[in-house]
Amino acid sequence: MAGGAREVLTLQLGHFAGFVGAHWWNQQDAALCRPTDAKEPPGELCPDVLYRTGRTLHGQETYTPRLILMDLKGSLSSLKQEGGLYRDKQLDAAIAWQGKLTTHKEELHPKNPYLQDLLSAEGVLSSDGTWRVKSIPNGKGLPPFTNGRTPKPVMPTEGSIRVWSDFLRVHLHPRSICMIHKYNHDGEAGRLEAFGQGESILKEPKYLEELEDRLHFYVEECDYLQGFQILCDLHDGFSGLGAKAAELLQDEYSGRGIITWGLLPGPYRLGELQKNIYRLLNTAFGLVHLSAHSSLVCPLSLGGSLGLRPEPPVSFPLLQYDAALPFHCGAILATALDTVTVPYRLRSSPVSMVHLADMLNFSGKKVVTAGATIPFPLVPSQSLPDALMQLGEATPWTPLSACGDPSGTCCFAQSVVLRGLDRARHTSQLTPGTPLPSPLHACTTGEEVLAQYLQQQQPRVRSSSHLLLTPCKVVPPYPSLFSSSLSRHGSVLDGLPTGTAVESIPVLGALCSSSSLNRALGDLAKDLSKLDLRRWASFMDAGVEQDDLEETLQELRSLAQCYESGGGRLVD
C-alpha cells in the first residue's frame, strides 16, 4: 500500500475546518504536480503519509486523501457526497419495481466557474464511467498536462466562494464525506451551535457506526499507522463532536498519535452577543476535552484573543488579507499547517506524531501554540545567516493561536521548520578573510545555522528544527494575498515589482509550548466564570450540566497553571 510510509488519517470536522482543509489538500495536490524542471529534488516529503492508492470499479488507479470529513446539510454545494471518482453500480442498476414511480429531485447547485474550468483541464468522465485523473506520483506515473497546451485555470474570486467545496480541486474517496443531516449549514434554524449538541451526534448509533465503519476502512489498509490529525472547529458545536471523536480514537487506537488542530475563524463582532458567548463556551469546553483525549492540541486562528475581549487580527508584512473571509484565513492557516506538520511527513528520518507530541507536551503541557512567517523574508542577495540576523532578537514568527503578543513570555519547548530556501543560500557566501558579522556566518551547513540561531534565541529550551529545500505551493485557487514586491518563488525583490504571480514561497513555522498559554487560558477561565448561565439556558439544554461547567472551569485553570513562567527562556 504505502511502501513503508508512516500513515496518517485526517479527520476534518466543521465548515471552517473545511476551508482550511480544502486549501491544505490543494497544496498537497500542487506538490504532487511538480514540474519536470523543478530545482528542488523530489522526495523530501512523503505524500503516502496522507494519501492512499486505490482503484475504481472500472480499474482506474486513483490517489486520494486518507480523509474522513464531517459537515452539515447544505455545505457541499455542487460536490457530490460520494465524490466524483467512483461510480456507484447501484445507480446504474435496472429498477425491478413495475408499479407507479414518483421521483423527487433536489435542485442542483450550479458548479463554481473555477471548478468547471478545472474539470475541463483535467479531462472528462467517459461513457464507461472512467474518470481520467492524474497518475500516481513519485515514479509511479507521470503527471498529466505538463505541456504548454494546458488551459490556464480560472482564478476563483472571493465573491464566487460560498463554501469550501467551491474551490476544492482534489478528488475524494466515496468514504471520505459523512454528512450530518439533522443540522443545517444555512439559515438561523437547526444550527449546530453548542458543545453538547456536537457530543450527542456521536452518541447516536447512526453517526457513530458510520464514523467507526470509515475509520476501520482506512485503518485496516494501513501498514504502519502512526496516528490521526484532527482539524476541528472550536467555535461551534463541532468542538463537542471533535472531543467525542478524539475520545473514540484514544479508546480504539491506544498508542497512536492524536494531534488536534482547533480552528477558529477570523475576528468576531461585538453586536453578536449570543454567538460570542457560545464561541467562548465551545472553545473552553473544546480545549479541555480535546486535551484530555489528544496527544497534542494546538489552537489555530488569525484572531488576537480566545476570550470575549476583541483583539485585532494578526498582520504579516508581506501579506494583504481580509480577516472576515474564511477563504483568506483558511489559506494562511493551511500554509502554516503544511509547514509545522513537516516532521511527521518526512520521507527520510521522520519524527513520529507520538515523538513530536512527547517532545512538546512534557509536564502536562498538552496544548501548544503555533506561529509562522509567511513568507520568510529573503532578498536575492541574502544568505540564511543574513536573513536571520536581520530579524534581530524579536520573536521571528507571527503568533497564530490567538494567545496575544508573545513578548515577555517563556518558551519551554519548540519544533521549528524552515522550508523553501535554495541550498546555495543556506550558509554565508562571504569571501575568505572577510570579518564574520555573526557566529551564524561561520556555520558550515544550513541545519547548523538554524539550530544555532534557535539556541541563541532560546537557550536552555528543548528545541527541534528541520530545514527543507521544498517550498510551499501557493498556486490557484490559493488567493492572491502577496505583496507585489515578491518574485515568482517568494523572494523579496530589490527593484521594482514585476507583477509576476507568486507560485511558491519559503515559510518559517513553529510549534511552541509557551507561557503565553498561562495568560490566554487563564483569561478564558476568567471570562467563563463571569457568565450568568441563566441567560444562556439554551447552551445547557443542549446536553451540558452545571456540574460539567464547573468541572471544565477547574480543568481550564489547572491547564493554565501548567504554563506558569519558570524553567523557560523569556521571549523578548
Side-chain angles (χ1 to χ4, degrees):
M1 263 300 299
R6 302 150 75 93
E7 302 101 336
V8 170
L9 175 56
T10 302
L11 277 68
Q12 192 173 295
L13 311 175
H15 201 66
F16 185 59
F19 273 89
V20 176
H23 280 297
W24 156 275
W25 292 114
N26 286 344
Q27 288 180 313
Q28 309 313 310
D29 183 74
L32 296 179
C33 300
R34 184 178 294 116
T36 56
D37 62 346
K39 294 180 180 179
E40 69 271 8
E44 283 184 308
L45 297 175
C46 179
D48 290 343
V49 172
L50 300 173
Y51 278 74
R52 61 177 295 279
T53 56
R55 197 171 293 276
T56 69
L57 297 174
H58 301 275
Q60 177 78 19
E61 196 170 16
T62 61
Y63 198 56
T64 53
R66 190 178 295 107
L67 167 69
I68 299 172
L69 72 84
M70 301 182 78
D71 208 340
L72 307 180
K73 181 175 65 176
S75 63
L76 293 185
S77 188
S78 60
L79 178 65
K80 294 180 180 179
Q81 182 172 342
E82 68 275 11
L85 283 179
Y86 297 74
R87 195 166 173 180
D88 193 338
K89 285 183 176 178
Q90 293 180 358
L91 299 179
D92 297 330
I95 299 175
W97 172 253
Q98 300 299 316
K100 184 179 179 181
L101 292 176
T102 302
T103 301
H104 299 273
K105 187 174 182 180
E106 187 176 358
E107 185 176 349
L108 296 176
H109 289 275
K111 192 174 290 294
N112 186 288
Y114 167 73
L115 294 182
Q116 290 178 347
D117 180 84
L118 173 66
L119 291 176
S120 66
E122 285 190 342
V124 295
L125 185 68
S126 61
S127 59
D128 67 353
T130 303
W131 182 260
R132 304 302 177 187
V133 295
K134 68 169 58 65
S135 301
I136 307 302
N138 301 323
K140 303 173 188 174
L142 293 175
F145 307 117
T146 56
N147 59 48
R149 294 188 297 275
T150 304
K152 185 177 180 181
V154 172
M155 179 65 192
T157 61
E158 282 76 3
S160 70
I161 301 298
R162 194 176 63 88
V163 294
W164 55 263
S165 54
D166 282 337
F167 64 94
L168 177 70
R169 62 169 292 137
V170 177
H171 293 288
L172 302 180
H173 189 273
R175 289 182 183 256
S176 279
I177 300 177
C178 177
M179 295 305 297
I180 301 169
H181 292 283
K182 67 180 295 184
Y183 294 105
N184 297 318
H185 168 65
D186 292 314
E188 294 301 318
R191 304 299 294 270
L192 182 60
E193 297 177 309
F195 180 89
Q197 291 175 305
E199 271 195 320
S200 68
I201 288 174
L202 289 186
K203 293 177 181 178
E204 295 185 28
K206 171 187 174 182
Y207 292 110
L208 178 60
E209 291 171 7
E210 190 168 0
L211 177 58
E212 288 180 328
D213 177 64
R214 292 162 193 265
L215 284 170
H216 293 157
F217 171 77
Y218 285 114
V219 170
E220 288 171 5
E221 66 180 11
C222 292
D223 294 326
Y224 183 79
L225 177 72
Q226 63 168 309
F228 307 85
Q229 58 179 10
I230 304 175
L231 279 66
C232 175
D233 287 359
L234 270 185
H235 63 289
D236 56 21
F238 277 102
S239 64
L241 177 62
K244 207 66 182 173
E247 182 181 357
L248 171 66
L249 295 177
Q250 186 185 49
D251 291 342
E252 292 273 336
Y253 304 100
S254 177
R256 309 296 187 185
I258 303 172
I259 296 184
T260 301
W261 310 98
L263 301 166
L264 292 157
Y268 51 93
R269 294 186 290 271
L270 284 175
E272 299 175 330
L273 183 58
Q274 176 171 320
K275 186 177 291 187
N276 292 337
I277 296 296
Y278 273 42
R279 180 187 58 80
L280 177 78
L281 288 163
N282 290 324
T283 300
F285 273 85
L287 286 175
V288 166
H289 286 261
L290 285 167
S291 64
H293 302 298
S294 303
S295 311
L296 205 66
V297 177
C298 180
L300 283 177
S301 175
L302 298 182
S305 168
L306 293 174
L308 283 179
R309 178 181 296 177
E311 299 287 347
V314 298
S315 60
F316 299 83
L318 297 172
L319 293 184
Q320 295 178 334
Y321 74 98
D322 185 343
L325 292 178
F327 182 53
H328 284 188
C329 295
I332 295 171
L333 293 180
T335 300
L337 195 61
D338 189 37
T339 300
V340 298
T341 58
V342 156
Y344 58 82
R345 297 191 291 123
L346 289 169
R347 183 180 300 277
S348 177
S349 303
V351 177
S352 73
M353 300 177 84
V354 170
H355 290 155
L356 178 64
D358 286 345
M359 193 270 289
L360 292 169
N361 71 6
F362 66 100
S363 303
K365 299 179 178 70
K366 294 178 74 173
V367 183
V368 296
T369 63
T373 304
I374 305 173
F376 181 73
L378 196 68
V379 301
S381 60
Q382 276 186 326
S383 67
L384 177 57
D386 297 329
L388 292 175
M389 287 300 298
Q390 190 171 301
L391 293 175
E393 296 186 359
T395 304
W397 43 75
T398 298
L400 296 178
S401 293
C403 292
D405 185 354
S407 298
T409 61
C410 292
C411 178
F412 306 104
Q414 61 184 1
S415 170
V416 179
V417 176
L418 177 58
R419 59 186 304 187
L421 270 65
D422 292 338
R423 192 181 300 278
R425 305 172 75 177
H426 284 184
T427 55
S428 174
Q429 302 301 311
L430 295 174
T431 56
T434 304
L436 298 179
S438 76
L440 299 181
H441 289 76
C443 297
T444 57
T445 66
E447 289 79 6
E448 186 183 349
V449 171
L450 182 58
Q452 185 161 326
Y453 169 76
L454 295 174
Q455 176 64 22
Q456 290 177 4
Q457 291 286 104
Q458 310 279 7
R460 302 183 305 280
V461 168
R462 185 185 303 191
S463 186
S464 169
S465 61
H466 292 87
L467 182 64
L468 274 70
L469 302 174
T470 308
C472 191
K473 300 290 186 179
V474 290
V475 295
Y478 199 97
S480 300
L481 307 178
F482 301 100
S483 165
S484 59
S485 64
L486 294 183
S487 71
R488 177 184 171 192
H489 297 299
S491 293
V492 181
L493 298 171
D494 290 322
L496 294 174
T498 63
T500 303
V502 180
E503 297 179 0
S504 65
I505 55 172
V507 179
L508 177 67
L511 296 176
C512 303
S513 178
S514 166
S515 67
S516 63
L517 285 159
N518 173 258
R519 179 181 58 203
L521 297 175
D523 288 348
L524 190 61
K526 289 177 184 177
D527 285 347
L528 197 61
S529 65
K530 294 176 184 176
L531 291 183
D532 181 0
L533 288 174
R534 291 172 298 182
R535 295 185 58 191
W536 312 108
S538 56
F539 186 90
M540 310 301 284
D541 292 343
V544 174
E545 304 289 341
Q546 180 67 35
D547 289 346
D548 296 326
L549 181 66
E550 295 299 328
E551 183 179 347
T552 295
L553 190 57
Q554 183 56 45
E555 290 290 338
L556 198 59
R557 287 168 174 158
S558 298
L559 197 58
Q561 289 175 359
C562 292
Y563 299 91
E564 289 181 342
S565 300
R569 193 267 190 186
L570 200 65
V571 176
D572 296 319

